[in-house]
Amino acid sequence: MSNEADASVRTRSRARRIWTWILGVLAVLIVLVAGAAFWFLWTPSVDEPDLAADVGSGSVAVDGTARDYLAVTPDNLPDGAPLVIWYSGSGEDAAGARESTGYRFEELAVEDGFAVAYPEGYENTFNDCRAEGDYPSQTEDVDDVAFTLALIDQMAAEHGIDTDQVYVGGYSNGGHMAMRMAAEAPDAVAGVATVAATMPVEDNWDCAGPSGPVPAMFVTGTDDGVNPYEGGTIRAGGGDAGEAMSAVDGAAYWAGLNGATGPTETAVSDDVTELAWTGDAPVVLDTVDGGGHTVPNPNARAIRALGSTSDWDAPAAIVEFFGLA
């Protein structure tokens, strides 16, 4: 073999080794990236509990459009029972809201004798009061207050719930929707609770109220990367949903509206500290040390990309705050 041919063979062999090395590195990188994505985005499913309750769907007409919801009614639900309405976070449907709370609200409903309803958001979003939000429900000005009021009326007609004992709450976008109900329909709700949702600043609040005192509970994690505990820009779906107050300032704002005094501080668990303002319409802020943009509960874990999920039982604390336990 000539020297030129031998050199050509060596060059091709070296090129093959280089390409083999490059492809090997790329394969390793792909595996690592896929593994990291799986680690951040995977979460174990939660088995639905076998409860002495009916889980059914309902629908009401609002402005000529059918709006759907899921309702959980215990088999032994007494006439005149309370109702808890829980709004899902953006991108989450009613079934997802049941699972992300670990089905705790309905377990407690069977224990304590109340009904639970999970409204379906328009394209899995609710039209809350944030002026800078761009959810489909906001851009199309969907009337989620009217939807909620119609849902309450239907639950009263079909299940005999007491319309004076309706409590609303929600996670993230759903928590902001609960604040809207307290602001614009305070006579329709006996209490409000939010998880991973703090009060927007004045320039980012597009509702007329709050117009009256409503007992309010806020649950917020110190490591919430979406709705920051210390206040600042709310990151919604990768976008910007405007500015929010800090968790403490937002709770104090509601306490001022309610004429509640305080706060007093109490350690309620190893990782949860509570500030409480007392009065006829009390306000509570439960701070989850190290908690992410998640619903603390003992049964379900949120995806790791949203941060840590405490096993503290936030649904039970909310039900107790509402006076239903």
Side-chain angles (χ1 to χ4, degrees):
M1 180 180 293
S2 68
N3 289 336
E4 288 185 4
D6 188 51
S8 177
V9 170
R10 288 196 301 270
T11 299
R12 288 196 298 272
S13 178
R14 188 163 51 248
R16 282 196 298 271
R17 289 196 300 271
I18 292 171
W19 276 109
T20 299
W21 180 83
I22 291 172
L23 291 174
V25 170
L26 287 175
V28 170
L29 289 174
I30 289 171
V31 170
L32 290 174
V33 170
F38 177 80
W39 190 87
F40 275 107
L41 299 177
W42 179 81
T43 183
S45 61
V46 182
D47 292 333
E48 184 173 346
D50 184 14
L51 297 174
D54 176 69
V55 181
S57 58
S59 180
V60 294
V62 182
D63 295 331
T65 300
R67 299 296 305 275
D68 301 327
Y69 62 92
L70 294 178
V72 180
T73 52
D75 294 344
N76 60 350
L77 186 72
D79 192 49
L83 170 66
V84 172
I85 297 173
W86 188 259
Y87 301 101
S88 56
S90 63
E92 183 181 58
D93 61 10
R98 295 180 65 209
E99 183 171 355
S100 67
T101 54
Y103 300 99
R104 285 295 291 142
F105 282 112
E106 42 220 73
E107 290 176 339
L108 295 162
V110 171
E111 292 177 17
D112 298 320
F114 60 88
V116 187
Y118 302 88
E120 293 281 8
Y122 177 74
E123 296 189 17
N124 291 341
T125 66
F126 291 102
N127 186 8
D128 60 42
C129 286
R130 287 175 291 182
E132 297 187 35
D134 61 355
Y135 295 135
S137 55
Q138 294 170 315
T139 58
E140 298 187 33
D141 197 24
V142 173
D143 194 343
D144 282 320
V145 173
F147 172 30
T148 303
L149 296 176
L151 186 161
I152 292 169
D153 287 343
Q154 184 151 299
M155 289 293 292
E158 294 184 354
H159 302 289
I161 64 101
D162 181 359
T163 56
D164 290 329
Q165 294 188 78
V166 176
Y167 303 87
V168 297
Y171 160 66
S172 192
N173 172 218
H176 284 98
M177 180 61 216
M179 282 191 270
R180 178 166 202 161
M181 285 300 300
E184 296 198 336
D187 292 338
V189 296
V192 59
T194 80
V195 175
T198 57
M199 182 67 190
V201 298
E202 183 178 355
D203 289 345
N204 195 29
W205 181 259
D206 206 20
C207 287
S211 58
V214 177
M217 178 175 182
F218 301 90
V219 177
T220 312
T222 58
D223 291 347
D224 190 328
V226 177
N227 199 121
Y229 182 84
E230 297 296 341
T233 302
I234 305 171
R235 302 294 180 188
D240 182 341
E243 301 289 309
M245 299 181 189
S246 72
V248 174
D249 287 347
Y253 171 82
W254 280 84
L257 292 172
N258 288 357
T261 59
T264 57
E265 183 173 331
T266 307
V268 297
S269 77
D270 290 342
D271 61 347
V272 179
T273 302
E274 182 173 279
L275 293 179
W277 290 260
T278 57
D280 292 337
V283 173
V284 164
L285 168 63
D286 284 332
T287 295
V288 184
D289 186 32
H293 193 69
T294 59
V295 181
N297 75 92
N299 298 339
R301 301 276 78 84
I303 59 173
R304 292 183 179 95
L306 293 175
S308 173
T309 304
S310 169
D311 61 4
W312 175 65
D313 200 341
I318 290 168
V319 167
E320 183 176 358
F321 176 76
F322 287 158
L324 305 180

